[in-house]
Amino acid sequence: MRIDIVTLFPELCDTFLSTSILGRARNKGLFEAHCHQIRDYTQNKQRQTDDYPYGGGCGMVLYAQPIADCLREVIRQCAEQGRPRPHIVFLTAAGQPYKEETTRRLAACDSLTLVCGHYEGIDERVIEEFGDEEISIGDYVLTGGELASLVVADSVLRLQPGVLAEEQGYQEESYWDNLLEYPQYTRPEVWEGRPVPPVLLTGDHDRIQAWRGRQSRERTRTRRPDLYLAWCESHPITRIPRWKRTERACLVRDAAQMEAAARLAAEARRTLYQTAGVVPGSEPSPQTLREELENRRREGWAFYLHSMSGTEDGLVGVCHKTGQIGYLAVTEPSRGIGIGTRLLDFARKKLAEHDAPWVAVPQDNLALIGLLIRMDFRAQTAANPGKMTGILSENVGFRQQIYRIQTPLEKKL
Ligand code: SAM
């Protein structure tokens, strides 16, 4: 790849591209970089590069002419090397936000030219004439485009074959797959009383990978819900994990089973209230939940208790009248091993008489929303606004959203 930077500070950019990982790769010839001084292309005696803005206002604006001539020279040099016309990017505060997917797209270019503005910016006409796109590296204003161009150059060049020692290096990093990276640790094992997570010392590669995956998803869910939901959409669960030999789901019939179901439902409700920041102590007791479940049963609901090796650790309810799935609960120690997924799948199969079983989810329960999306449920469209949001409990006022299965069940089975 050939990269050109058009700037008033070529030495600054060149130093960066000659340092550390990029410097070593450049020396090995893994990419070619050229930093051009805009001033060298001026046509006035003072080698002035900027002037007052038409229409008044503060600051100075870079002339179109020296930048245009510099770009023509870059285009000529590329042609001389038998390369296509370079992809020309202007770094501007008003450009499109820079993302990992932009990095990958730009990394596929044979030659990339980055133009740095300064002062109040660049005469718009040269951007119109030469620019293939404008990129902003964030919602803030820098004094010049140099740092922005180096951000783009660094993130694009590290994707060039051979620049990083291991390709997996970047495939596991934040944003590659819409997920943030898991936390990293190095020696010593205990630092100022803080031990490294024990799983990382086991040498068990599969367990370590599973832990990292969970950390990654958890971090993304709590820090960047937008990315998490995008990841869920692009990672549907196509194969439901098989039920373990000791795993059962049985219909709640007798009093003891109802008691266990109410206990599990109360635990789930507690978690829900905590997430929503409801004053502790206002959660319903297992006794209240028991009454609620019994009332529901009279309205046509059926409840199923999940157990592993005889220990009850999950619950799900289905309403045959309405096609609703609810009361999904998995005890804290049993989370993260696919029980929720299997129970949801079990519940939707129990509702096979309904085209599109549905779940009402509190809007901030991103863990459940993510799972539903991965299992082909989608938020009800605004075409049905009356059903979109509601109140789960009058007292605490959760906002909830309806998620419905997309593909009718008989087509899936
Ligand atoms: N007057 C401009 C505006 O309000 O959009 C800001 C000009 S800024 C002081 C000078 C130069 O810094 C810009 O021409 C651009 O090249 C660069 N720059 C500033 N903020 C940037 C950002 N967030 N991303 C990319 N480049 C930026």
Side-chain angles (χ1 to χ4, degrees):
M1 180 178 208
R2 170 177 169 139
I3 203 152
D4 291 83
I5 302 187
V6 174
T7 165
L8 286 172
F9 302 95
E11 298 79 13
L12 185 155
C13 299
D14 203 68
T15 304
F16 181 82
L17 297 172
S18 307
T19 307
S20 183
I21 297 176
L22 292 188
R24 282 195 294 277
R26 191 177 178 187
N27 282 339
K28 281 196 215 156
L30 295 174
F31 68 88
E32 206 180 297
H34 304 272
C35 302
H36 308 268
Q37 171 58 268
I38 296 174
R39 206 173 292 284
D40 290 347
Y41 294 85
T42 51
Q43 289 173 348
N44 59 71
K45 260 211 212 111
Q46 299 77 22
R47 304 182 76 213
Q48 191 179 327
T49 54
D50 53 280
D51 216 325
Y52 294 104
Y54 277 125
C58 59
M60 305 292 269
V61 174
L62 288 177
Y63 286 132
Q65 172 273 315
I67 294 177
D69 286 349
C70 181
L71 288 173
R72 287 192 185 102
E73 175 57 16
V74 173
I75 294 168
R76 191 195 64 73
Q77 288 179 12
C78 287
E80 200 173 67
Q81 289 182 326
R83 294 176 183 273
R85 178 192 179 278
H87 185 77
I88 300 177
V89 174
F90 282 79
L91 284 311
T92 66
Q96 288 298 312
Y98 192 52
K99 302 239 169 83
E100 182 65 24
E101 63 208 45
T102 328
T103 312
R104 278 185 251 174
R105 181 166 54 74
L106 296 183
C109 296
D110 174 82
S111 21
L112 177 66
T113 302
L114 305 168
V115 188
C116 312
H118 215 75
Y119 312 117
E120 276 315 301
I122 300 176
D123 188 314
E124 188 68 19
R125 291 166 296 181
V126 72
I127 304 179
E128 285 165 10
E129 178 64 25
F130 288 91
D132 292 311
E133 62 186 300
E134 287 180 56
I135 286 177
S136 158
I137 61 158
D139 294 347
Y140 41 78
V141 179
L142 304 163
T143 56
E146 286 67 28
L147 286 176
S149 73
L150 292 174
V151 165
V152 173
D154 183 283
S155 52
V156 164
L157 289 172
R158 69 195 291 282
L159 298 183
Q160 297 306 309
V163 171
L164 292 186
E166 292 173 69
E167 189 175 301
Q168 234 194 346
Y170 61 72
Q171 296 208 343
E172 279 187 3
E173 271 168 325
S174 298
Y175 303 116
W176 182 258
D177 195 18
N178 260 331
L179 286 182
L180 304 180
E181 197 190 48
Y182 47 82
Q184 298 269 24
Y185 302 87
T186 186
R187 264 172 264 278
E189 237 174 81
V190 180
W191 174 77
E192 297 197 354
R194 292 165 184 268
V196 162
V199 62
L200 299 179
L201 308 175
T202 59
D204 182 336
H205 187 68
D206 290 345
R207 273 189 63 205
I208 294 174
Q209 284 305 91
W211 180 84
R212 286 180 165 164
R214 275 199 306 280
Q215 290 287 321
S216 206
R217 291 191 291 276
E218 182 80 9
R219 275 197 156 184
T220 315
R221 183 160 62 75
T222 49
R223 296 182 184 188
R224 292 292 304 273
D226 55 328
L227 288 183
Y228 182 67
L229 292 179
W231 179 83
C232 289
E233 290 212 14
S234 56
H235 289 75
I237 299 175
T238 47
R239 187 149 6 115
I240 303 297
R242 287 166 70 93
W243 286 66
K244 309 243 172 344
R245 231 170 8 94
T246 56
E247 207 174 353
R248 303 270 178 280
C250 72
L251 180 67
V252 172
R253 291 174 205 272
D254 60 31
Q257 288 167 332
M258 186 48 112
E259 192 124 324
R263 226 179 24 248
L264 282 157
E267 185 182 328
R269 203 58 73 84
R270 238 185 343 266
T271 315
L272 185 67
Y273 277 40
Q274 268 163 15
T275 329
V278 176
V279 197
S282 55
E283 313 90 349
S285 63
Q287 181 51 34
T288 321
L289 251 311
R290 189 186 167 133
E291 283 159 24
E292 183 176 322
L293 295 186
E294 271 163 1
N295 284 337
R296 292 279 190 227
R297 212 155 51 164
R298 281 189 281 277
E299 291 164 11
W301 282 75
F303 297 100
Y304 294 88
L305 266 177
H306 176 276
S307 63
M308 189 87 85
S309 308
T311 307
E312 284 139 355
D313 57 2
L315 175 73
V316 74
V318 295
C319 180
H320 288 283
K321 265 194 200 154
T322 61
Q324 184 176 2
I325 300 172
Y327 296 92
L328 183 67
V330 179
T331 55
E332 181 77 45
S334 298
R335 288 186 197 153
I337 51 171
I339 295 176
T341 311
R342 291 194 284 277
L343 277 182
L344 261 180
D345 183 56
F346 172 84
R348 67 183 174 185
K349 284 178 183 151
K350 285 277 168 211
L351 292 171
E353 72 273 25
H354 290 271
D355 247 8
W358 56 280
V359 186
V361 195
Q363 269 176 347
D364 51 6
N365 190 346
L366 218 62
L368 180 53
I369 290 176
L371 176 58
L372 289 171
I373 290 176
R374 296 191 67 201
M375 293 186 70
D376 197 33
F377 288 77
R378 286 294 176 275
Q380 189 114 30
T381 57
N384 201 353
K387 285 197 174 170
M388 254 188 63
T389 55
I391 303 295
L392 187 66
S393 150
E394 294 283 346
N395 300 333
V396 288
F398 288 110
R399 304 278 291 167
Q400 65 181 15
Q401 187 142 16
I402 308 287
Y403 277 74
R404 245 179 225 283
I405 281 190
Q406 288 290 288
T407 321
L409 213 55
E410 71 272 17
K411 293 209 183 115
K412 285 187 83 76
L413 298 178

